[in-house]
Amino acid sequence: DRLARAQVELSAHRDHLEELVAERTDQIQKKIAELEASESRFRLLADNVTDLIWTMDLNLRFTFMTPSVTGMFGYSMEEAIDLPIDKWSAPEANEWVFAELSRHLEIEKAGAGDPNRSAVFRIQQLKKDGTPFWVEIRTSFLRDPDGKAIGFVGITRDIDLQKRAEDALRNSEEQFRNLNDNI
């Protein structure tokens, strides 16, 4: 009699456990489907954006890049991720960028950093074949859930045609001024 009751209880517990496992399995499968859909949307954006989106650690090593690096710079993603930051620009631009990044890191270390601040750089960088071109880089700190800086996140946009147009306009205005002054 006791054995039969124990077997019935055991069977009921087993059924209950099986229901819980099935329920939890359904929840996990739904979460996996949501994550896969989210990753698919992210991948679609990352694969089709024309600006270069990137992240780097605090040691200034790249940790992520969108595939647009190939169209913009001529490097494969694998080459680009492994390329040191000082190989992206001419030496004079590198000095300025390093100084600016160092300044921002010092502000952060001093505890005076604004979590919402960002920096914008307009510099010449180098394509894989050595051709210089103008880019605009917008960067800010990548932060952990506690707000501590753990790296950088940025967007690099090719502004070479815009910069050339600005320079041509400036030269044209200067020639017009000179002509006007001489008249």
Side-chain angles (χ1 to χ4, degrees):
D1 190 42
R2 284 174 78 192
L3 182 60
R5 264 194 322 254
Q7 286 177 337
V8 169
E9 274 185 45
L10 183 60
S11 178
H13 285 303
R14 186 179 316 125
D15 290 345
H16 182 68
L17 282 174
E18 287 174 359
E19 287 175 18
L20 288 175
V21 167
E23 188 177 301
R24 191 64 179 146
T25 300
D26 285 346
Q27 291 172 349
I28 291 169
Q29 288 173 340
K30 285 179 185 175
K31 193 60 163 174
I32 289 171
E34 288 173 16
L35 289 171
E36 286 173 346
S38 178
E39 180 183 2
S40 177
R41 284 190 303 272
F42 170 77
R43 192 61 48 206
L44 179 67
L45 288 171
D47 288 347
N48 289 289
V49 68
T50 55
D51 291 345
L52 173 60
I53 301 171
W54 50 266
T55 60
M56 69 173 48
D57 61 23
L58 291 176
N59 294 317
L60 306 181
R61 288 188 309 256
F62 288 103
T63 56
F64 170 80
M65 284 188 181
T66 53
S68 55
V69 71
T70 302
M72 190 179 292
F73 285 91
Y75 292 107
S76 70
M77 286 179 53
E78 294 78 20
E79 290 173 315
I81 282 281
D82 292 336
L83 197 63
I85 191 172
D86 65 335
K87 300 299 182 199
W88 289 89
S89 304
E92 57 278 359
N94 281 329
E95 288 176 30
W96 185 81
V97 169
F98 281 123
E100 280 297 299
L101 291 176
S102 295
R103 186 176 67 81
H104 285 281
L105 282 168
E106 289 304 316
I107 291 169
E108 194 67 27
K109 286 179 187 174
D114 173 4
N116 298 316
R117 90 174 172 283
S118 62
V120 179
F121 308 115
R122 289 181 114 195
I123 61 170
Q124 270 193 318
Q125 290 200 296
L126 303 172
K127 293 184 181 274
K128 183 178 181 178
D129 67 6
T131 305
F133 71 114
W134 284 93
V135 297
E136 179 178 87
I137 301 171
R138 293 182 175 272
T139 186
S140 59
F141 281 104
L142 188 60
R143 298 183 180 279
D144 68 13
D146 296 326
K148 181 181 175 207
I150 57 171
F152 296 94
V153 60
I155 299 172
T156 301
R157 174 171 287 164
D158 182 341
I159 61 164
D160 199 55
L161 290 176
Q162 176 186 342
K163 182 74 167 133
R164 287 183 197 195
E166 289 170 0
D167 291 346
L169 179 60
R170 193 171 15 266
N171 289 339
S172 176
E173 288 172 346
E174 186 176 319
Q175 288 175 352
F176 180 75
R177 262 192 306 279
N178 289 338
L179 180 62
N180 190 36
D181 290 348
N182 289 333
I183 291 176

